[in-house]
Amino acid sequence: MSRPVVIACAMAEEAQPFLEALEPDASVEVPVLPAGFRGPADFRGGILQGHPVVIATTGIGMTNAALAAAVVASQLRPRAVVFAGTTGGLGANVHLGDVVVSEYALYHDADATAFGYAPGQIPQMPEKYPADPWLRATASGALRAKGLAFHTGTISASNSFVDGAQVEPVRARFRDVLAVDMETAAGAQVCWSFSIPWVSLRAISDLCDPNAGEVFDQSAPSAAATSFAAVESLLGSPPRRLHP
């Protein structure tokens, strides 16, 4: 069995469409967590669109995302990591249900500018983390062929849910950011550290406005289904492989 593709979702509701479509296959290796492990990470292996995959439900927040990514990176050396699920729309032209294909990921709450670093840059780390160009281009072509609305650009993360009180400072400082979440940048940093190709295919579940929480509750299931369709399209793209 070849190395798997890891599909990382923060919440069980985001992972559910993938788990329902997953063909069980005991030959797909999943990480082994040590006795006494108390994190929320959960890993399920199987076949999706002909590919061995591991569905990683990481838990919400950057530390949980990084923890799960480090586990799969060190134990599985996956062919690729695809971050899936929901995201808040920050860009002026994004709409509910649109898919955002990541070009870069950064931290919009990181600020070491006093030491000469760029806004969003962790000291001694890259200013932002690039998604794999091959995965990004293949995903964009697959979404275009499927007729799904999508945008390609920068995504950002923090440990705060961005709503009306926070959105304008983030928009003012990061004008090229299309969407925000609480996990992807942390997972992308781990992938960068391990030289593992990654891409994010999250769907817009709210528009980071004063009603973002309420809208998220209503739209999250639909956005999760759209993200699943986007990832499924990527996996099913000809040629039926993901990254050498």
Side-chain angles (χ1 to χ4, degrees):
M1 180 68 68
S2 61
R3 291 181 295 139
V5 174
V6 172
I7 301 170
C9 302
M11 301 186 298
E13 296 86 344
E14 296 168 323
Q16 190 60 35
F18 295 98
L19 295 175
E20 291 176 354
L22 195 66
E23 301 174 27
D25 189 326
S27 67
V28 178
E29 183 183 1
V30 297
V32 177
L33 297 171
F37 179 79
R38 300 174 67 178
D42 178 78
F43 306 102
R44 308 291 177 90
I47 304 296
L48 186 62
Q49 289 288 313
H51 295 275
V53 302
V54 172
I55 310 302
T57 307
T58 67
I60 297 169
M62 292 196 291
T63 300
N64 287 329
L67 173 63
V71 168
V72 298
S74 60
Q75 292 194 28
L76 304 182
R77 298 296 300 179
R79 285 185 293 156
V81 175
V82 182
F83 298 101
T86 62
T87 187
L90 199 71
N93 297 317
V94 301
H95 305 283
L96 290 177
D98 291 355
V99 176
V100 176
V101 181
S102 58
E103 186 173 9
Y104 297 98
L106 56 79
Y107 300 97
H108 62 254
D109 65 347
D111 190 343
T113 53
F115 301 100
Y117 292 97
Q121 183 179 13
I122 300 295
Q124 301 180 359
M125 298 300 289
E127 182 176 337
K128 49 190 176 182
Y129 301 93
D132 181 78
W134 190 93
L135 289 172
R136 188 179 72 237
T138 303
S140 296
L143 295 179
R144 190 176 295 111
K146 195 175 181 67
L148 290 174
F150 73 96
H151 309 266
T152 301
T154 300
I155 57 176
S156 71
S158 76
N159 274 320
S160 299
F161 182 79
V162 177
D163 58 15
Q166 302 159 306
V167 66
E168 289 310 323
V170 177
R171 278 184 176 144
R173 202 169 202 194
F174 300 97
R175 296 186 181 279
D176 61 337
V177 169
L178 296 182
V180 296
D181 61 56
M182 297 175 66
E183 295 84 24
T184 300
Q189 180 177 338
V190 173
C191 289
W192 177 86
S193 297
F194 282 86
S195 299
I196 294 171
W198 71 275
V199 72
S200 177
L201 300 177
R202 291 185 174 224
I204 302 294
S205 56
D206 65 84
L207 297 176
C208 299
D209 57 22
N211 299 316
E214 180 181 349
V215 173
F216 173 84
D217 289 339
Q218 297 171 351
S219 302
S222 175
T226 300
S227 177
F228 166 76
V231 176
E232 192 176 45
S233 297
L234 170 61
L235 294 175
S237 298
R240 293 177 64 83
R241 62 176 178 80
L242 273 189
H243 218 277

